[in-house]
Amino acid sequence: MSALLNAFEIIRANPTAKRFEIGEILFAQFDCPVLDEPLGIWSQTDHLIHVVSARSTWKTSMGTWSAEAGETVFFRKGAFVSPPHLEEDLCLLIFFIPDAFVREAVRELAADLQPISQLPDAREVVIRVKNDMTLSAFFQSMLVYFANDEQPPEVLLKLKLKELLISILVSPGNPRLSAYFRSLALCDAPPLPAIMEANFCHSLPLDAFAKMCHRSLSSFKREFRRCYGTTPGKWLIGRRLECAAQMLLSTSMSMTEIALECGFEEPSHFSRTFKAMFGRSPTDYRLKGAGREKMAELLT
C-alpha cells in the first residue's frame, strides 16, 4: 500500500467531486473509483460519511466497518484504510466538520442540552449514526444542492452544517456522538494521547500527527515529551513493536502482515528493530511464546 493520503486535500483537488467549501468546512458528493488495492486515508478534521449508493468499507485500528446505501458513519480525526472494492456506483456524501464550528454550536445550545453523563471513549474512533427523520431530511436536501450547478451562499451552507450538528446534539438516538461533540467544547485542542493511541499503527509522518492533534510540529513535539518523556519517533517505534509482539502471540498472521498492520513499511526493518528490542527475531519470539503455552497446558 502506498503512503496515506490526506482526505481533505484529495477531495479539494479532485475535479470530479462536487463540493462546497468555506475554509475548513467542506461538503462533497464523491463518486468513488474502483479500487484494486487498499487505499490509506487520514484527516485532521472529524468527518461524517453518508453512503448514497452501493456499499462502503473502512478499516481502522479498532476494526473494520461497513455501511450500506442510506447508512451513515462518523469518523474522528485520524487514519483508516479503504480496502479494495469493485463497485462502480459507490457514491458518498462527506461532511468535514471543524472543531471550532462544533464548539460554537454546542455553546449556543448549552442551555438546551442535558449534561454529559459519561465522556466518550477515546478509543472509539468510529461511531455509527442513527438516521432519524431529521437527519434523513438533511441528507435529501444536500442531494438537491449537489444536483444543482450553482454554489449556495456561504451563510446558507453554514446554516446547513449547524442544522446537521443540532440534529445530532438533540437526537435521543445518537447519544455517543452527541456526547463526543459536547466534549469538544471542553478543550481547545484534541487530547494528544487519544490521537496517538488511535493512530500509532499507521505509517504517517510526524507533521500529520501534529495536524491531527491541531498543533504546530514544534508544539506537538514539546507537549509529546511532557506527556511521554521521550520523542514521538522513539515512542512510535516502541508502541508498534509492543503491538507486534502481542499479535505474534495471539494471531496466525504472517510476519509481513504483522509488520504492515503495525505501521512498518518494510518487513526487514521490522525484523531488525524487533530483535533489537526483544533480543530475538519475530519468528523466535512466536515459537518461544507457543512453547510457553504448550508447557502451561501440560502443567494444568
Side-chain angles (χ1 to χ4, degrees), residues 4 40 69 72 89-90 92-93 132 134 140 142 237 285-286 291 297:
L4 275 70
T72 308
D89 59 344
L90 176 58
L92 308 174
L93 296 185
D132 55 19
T134 305
Q140 286 300 318
M142 290 309 305
I237 290 293
Y285 187 91
R286 171 176 273 174
E297 290 178 4

Side-chain angles (χ1 to χ4, degrees), residues 24-25 43-47 74-77 96-107 161 165 180-191 195 211-215:
E24 292 185 341
I25 298 173
S43 174
Q44 69 267 35
T45 307
D46 293 335
H47 51 289
F74 176 82
F75 291 83
R76 291 194 192 185
K77 52 190 73 68
F96 289 89
I97 309 173
D99 286 5
F101 199 96
V102 176
R103 293 189 190 100
E104 181 181 338
V106 171
R107 287 163 184 166
L161 180 54
L165 290 173
Y180 171 70
F181 281 152
R182 280 182 278 171
S183 74
L184 295 181
L186 303 177
C187 56
D188 294 328
I195 297 292
K211 287 179 180 178
M212 290 191 294
C213 292
H214 293 188
R215 292 159 174 84

Side-chain angles (χ1 to χ4, degrees), residues 44-93:
Q44 69 267 35
T45 307
D46 293 335
H47 51 289
L48 185 148
I49 299 179
H50 177 73
V51 181
V52 178
S53 60
R55 181 176 187 267
S56 190
T57 301
W58 308 271
K59 185 177 184 297
T60 73
S61 59
M62 302 303 293
T64 300
W65 307 80
S66 294
E68 306 287 345
E71 296 182 332
T72 308
V73 182
F74 176 82
F75 291 83
R76 291 194 192 185
K77 52 190 73 68
F80 60 86
V81 175
S82 289
H85 69 83
L86 302 177
E87 296 90 344
E88 296 183 357
D89 59 344
L90 176 58
C91 179
L92 308 174
L93 296 185

Side-chain angles (χ1 to χ4, degrees), residues 113-131:
L113 297 175
Q114 296 294 324
I116 302 176
S117 59
Q118 183 177 357
L119 290 175
D121 188 342
R123 298 169 298 177
E124 192 174 34
V125 296
V126 179
I127 301 174
R128 289 195 179 276
V129 179
K130 182 178 180 181
N131 289 332

Side-chain angles (χ1 to χ4, degrees), residues 10-29:
I10 287 175
I11 292 175
R12 289 181 66 188
N14 190 311
T16 65
K18 298 178 181 179
R19 61 189 183 277
F20 306 134
E21 182 180 355
I22 310 171
E24 292 185 341
I25 298 173
L26 178 63
F27 299 169
Q29 179 177 315

